[in-house]
Amino acid sequence: MKRMTPAWAILAALVAGYSGCGIAQEYDDPAVAACQYQHLGAGPLPAGWARTRTTISGTDVELAYSVSVLNTRPTEKVMHCTFEKNAQGKFTFAITKDPKVTECQAFMDKVDADAAASLPPAEKQPIMDRMQECISIFEASLKSTTNMLTDVIMRLTMAGLLPIDPSNTDLR
C-alpha cells in the first residue's frame, strides 16, 4: 500500500475527528479515504463502528464495518465506490447511471407524444402514468448526481484530494 500524502493525512484526521472515533487509518489509500468520506463524511459516526475490511480491486473500493449500537449484536455494513480515470489519467469517482434512467430514456424515445395525445383516455393513461414515473426518476437521478458532485467531488477537489494520482493509490 502506498504512503499517504499530507493532504490525505489531513482528510483522514478530519474524518476521524469529525466522526468521533478513529475510523480513518493513518495508512489509508487515498481512494479508501475518499470512499469513506463519500459514505460517512456527512455526519458523525455513531459509537460502535469499526472498519473490518478494506478491499481495492481494479477501480472498485469496498469498505466493511462492524456496527454495534448499544446492546445490539454487531452487524456488517458494506460500502462500495467505483473510480474512473479522467482525461488527465487521474482517478476520480465514477458517476454511474441508474438502470431505471436508461429504461426511461428508452421508453421516452419510443413514445410519440403527438400520437399519444390523440389516443382514447383508456389507452393514454398508462402512457401518461409511465411518463410521470420517468420524470420522477429523472429528477431523482439529477438530484443524486448533483449532490455527489457538490457534496463530495467538489469538496475533495477543492481540498486537493481529488483527482487521485495513480502513483499514490492501489487503484488500477
Side-chain angles (χ1 to χ4, degrees):
M1 180 140 332
K2 309 286 188 228
R3 185 82 180 134
M4 205 167 36
T5 61
W8 284 107
I10 292 168
L11 175 64
L14 287 173
V15 170
Y18 185 64
S19 68
C21 61
I23 59 163
Q25 306 296 320
E26 178 181 321
Y27 53 87
D28 273 346
D29 185 284
V32 170
C35 185
Q36 184 165 295
Y37 179 87
Q38 176 189 351
H39 290 287
L40 304 174
L45 287 176
W49 280 63
R51 190 183 322 153
T52 57
R53 187 176 70 252
T54 301
T55 307
I56 298 176
S57 177
T59 57
D60 296 320
V61 174
E62 180 180 279
L63 306 175
Y65 297 87
S66 173
V67 180
S68 178
V69 181
L70 298 175
N71 296 337
T72 64
R73 195 175 281 210
T75 59
E76 184 178 63
K77 300 240 185 238
V78 179
M79 300 167 189
H80 302 273
C81 295
T82 301
F83 291 82
E84 64 187 3
K85 285 190 176 180
N86 64 14
Q88 292 78 34
K90 296 183 177 183
F91 289 101
T92 189
F93 286 107
I95 305 287
T96 55
K97 189 188 295 185
D98 183 338
K100 291 179 183 177
V101 170
T102 305
E103 291 171 19
C104 280
Q105 285 174 327
F107 171 77
M108 297 295 248
D109 288 344
K110 290 180 193 173
V111 171
D112 180 351
D114 293 331
S118 63
L119 291 172
E123 293 177 36
K124 183 179 2 180
Q125 194 58 47
I127 294 171
M128 298 304 290
D129 290 346
R130 179 67 175 142
M131 289 175 80
Q132 203 54 41
E133 180 184 331
C134 284
I135 289 169
S136 296
I137 290 169
F138 292 147
E139 288 172 344
S141 177
L142 177 61
K143 182 178 179 181
S144 173
T145 300
T146 301
N147 288 343
M148 176 67 165
L149 289 170
T150 59
D151 293 346
V152 177
I153 295 174
M154 187 172 80
R155 288 180 183 175
L156 292 175
T157 300
M158 290 175 67
L161 304 173
L162 278 181
I164 301 169
D165 190 295
S167 66
N168 293 333
T169 182
D170 289 333
L171 291 171
R172 295 291 161 236

